[in-house]
Amino acid sequence: MSGTPALTAADLPPYPWLEVVNPSVRLGQVRHALFDFDGTISVIRRGWKTIMIPMMVEMICAGHPAPPGLEAEVADYVDRSTGILTIKQMRWLEETVDRYGLAEQPLSAREYKRIYNERLLHPVRLRLAQVGRDGSQAVDDTLMIAGVRPFLQGLHDRGVVLYLASGTDHVYVQEEAAAVGVTGLFGEHIYGAQDDDESITKERIIQRIMDERHLKGEELLVVGDGPVEILNAKARDAIALGVAANEEQRQGLAPRKRERLLAAGADLIITDFLHHDALLSCFIS
């Protein structure tokens, strides 16, 4: 032990690109880092809410006029549930369809998920078709949050073990991680949703990483744009870095994201990874 006082966020320079929410969070000791995928690394699925919300309203109404307040209820739920398994969102839809009682032939959560995936995969496939068309990495980077690739590479090069966890189906996470060229950075630590195994959640992955590796909270960095992973991180005293990025622009502030990250307890908030070198120095001494 060197006896050097622990670095906290309060000791950082006043970076204009970094919002310090929790000045007492301990920094400089990160050994493992878990990343959300959609909206944190990738923007391949940008706009997914504009597909999920109308689809849910459509299934609830079943051709009837929308009851007062329904669209706001659905939008609020989708916003709050960002980051959880898609099947759990569809289970909420199944329960809500039953509660409103407008559908004569309600479907199962798995059937709703199939409909949602079919609608979402159309724009996703169009974007994936662009990847590597001219053989350049720059094409892949247009489907990523700005600066995230060198940030991931910097963590990897410094010996930080990387994990990728997503509420999106595992097969799609693998395909899309490969499309943007980050699979090698995560190796075998890529976790997507499995309908027949709901133990693969961000909460349980974080718990397993910390317990099996005997980590202290400040040794695990959790990075995400949704409240789920931020709440899961803080439940185990890990460092929670919120990414409030505008997905259409791949950078810059998305105010609603920032609000929900603050509410979930993020320690630090960024809008992109363009200052990746300085950001790396915050987490690894």
Side-chain angles (χ1 to χ4, degrees):
M1 298 289 290
S2 66
T4 303
L7 174 73
T8 69
D11 300 313
L12 296 174
Y15 293 126
W17 47 266
L18 177 67
E19 181 176 2
V20 175
V21 185
N22 178 12
S24 65
V25 66
R26 292 161 67 94
L27 304 176
Q29 302 177 56
V30 170
R31 295 167 47 205
H32 297 253
L34 179 142
F35 283 75
D36 171 54
F37 188 60
D38 299 313
T40 301
I41 293 175
S42 166
V43 296
I44 292 173
R45 292 178 174 248
R46 65 184 182 271
W48 64 270
K49 288 184 183 179
T50 65
I51 294 174
M52 181 178 284
I53 292 171
M55 173 265 180
M56 284 186 164
V57 171
E58 177 187 337
M59 296 300 119
I60 294 166
C61 294
H64 298 275
L70 173 62
E71 293 181 1
E73 178 187 354
V74 172
D76 178 67
Y77 171 74
V78 171
D79 198 45
R80 288 185 290 105
S81 66
T82 297
I84 70 169
L85 301 178
T86 305
I87 190 64
K88 291 188 175 182
Q89 292 173 309
M90 295 303 122
R91 203 160 284 141
W92 177 89
L93 174 58
E94 182 180 18
E95 293 168 356
T96 306
V97 168
D98 182 65
R99 173 160 53 88
Y100 276 90
L102 297 174
E104 294 183 5
Q105 296 180 315
L107 305 177
S108 68
R110 290 197 180 201
E111 289 171 312
Y112 288 132
K113 180 181 172 183
R114 178 185 57 77
I115 294 170
Y116 167 67
N117 276 337
E118 286 177 353
R119 296 184 184 185
L120 177 60
L121 285 176
H122 177 66
V124 165
R125 295 298 180 206
L126 291 176
R127 291 166 189 152
L128 288 175
Q130 302 172 11
V131 174
R133 183 175 292 170
D134 64 356
S136 71
Q137 178 177 293
V139 175
D140 301 351
D141 287 351
T142 64
L143 295 176
M144 303 175 77
I145 297 296
V148 70
R149 187 189 303 279
F151 183 64
L152 289 168
Q153 188 68 56
L155 289 171
H156 182 268
D157 291 348
R158 289 162 176 78
V160 175
V161 182
L162 300 178
Y163 306 80
L164 182 60
S166 175
T168 298
D169 285 359
H170 187 69
V171 63
Y172 300 134
V173 176
Q174 285 186 309
E175 179 184 11
E176 293 164 29
V180 297
V182 299
T183 303
L185 297 174
F186 294 96
E188 62 184 16
H189 302 303
I190 296 179
Y191 306 99
Q194 305 274 7
D195 278 357
D196 56 352
D197 185 0
E198 292 189 21
S199 68
I200 305 178
T201 64
K202 292 172 184 174
E203 179 182 18
R204 294 190 182 184
I205 293 167
I206 289 170
Q207 178 179 340
R208 189 165 72 241
I209 293 169
M210 297 197 72
D211 292 347
E212 291 181 357
R213 306 286 183 164
H214 307 290
L215 300 182
K216 297 180 291 184
E218 59 266 29
E219 294 176 315
L220 175 64
L221 171 66
V222 176
V223 187
D225 73 322
V228 171
E229 55 266 20
I230 300 302
L231 288 165
N232 294 161
K234 296 320 299 173
R236 292 300 301 263
D237 292 324
I239 302 169
L241 174 63
V243 183
N246 179 322
E247 294 182 38
E248 291 295 331
Q249 302 297 322
R250 302 175 40 247
Q251 60 185 285
L253 179 64
R256 182 67 191 112
K257 279 192 181 185
R258 176 181 175 274
E259 290 174 12
R260 71 179 186 225
L261 291 168
L262 287 171
D267 295 307
L268 306 163
I269 295 178
I270 56 175
T271 60
D272 48 56
F273 299 87
L274 289 172
H275 302 274
H276 44 83
D277 286 336
L279 190 61
L280 284 167
S281 70
C282 296
F283 300 118
I284 307 170
S285 57

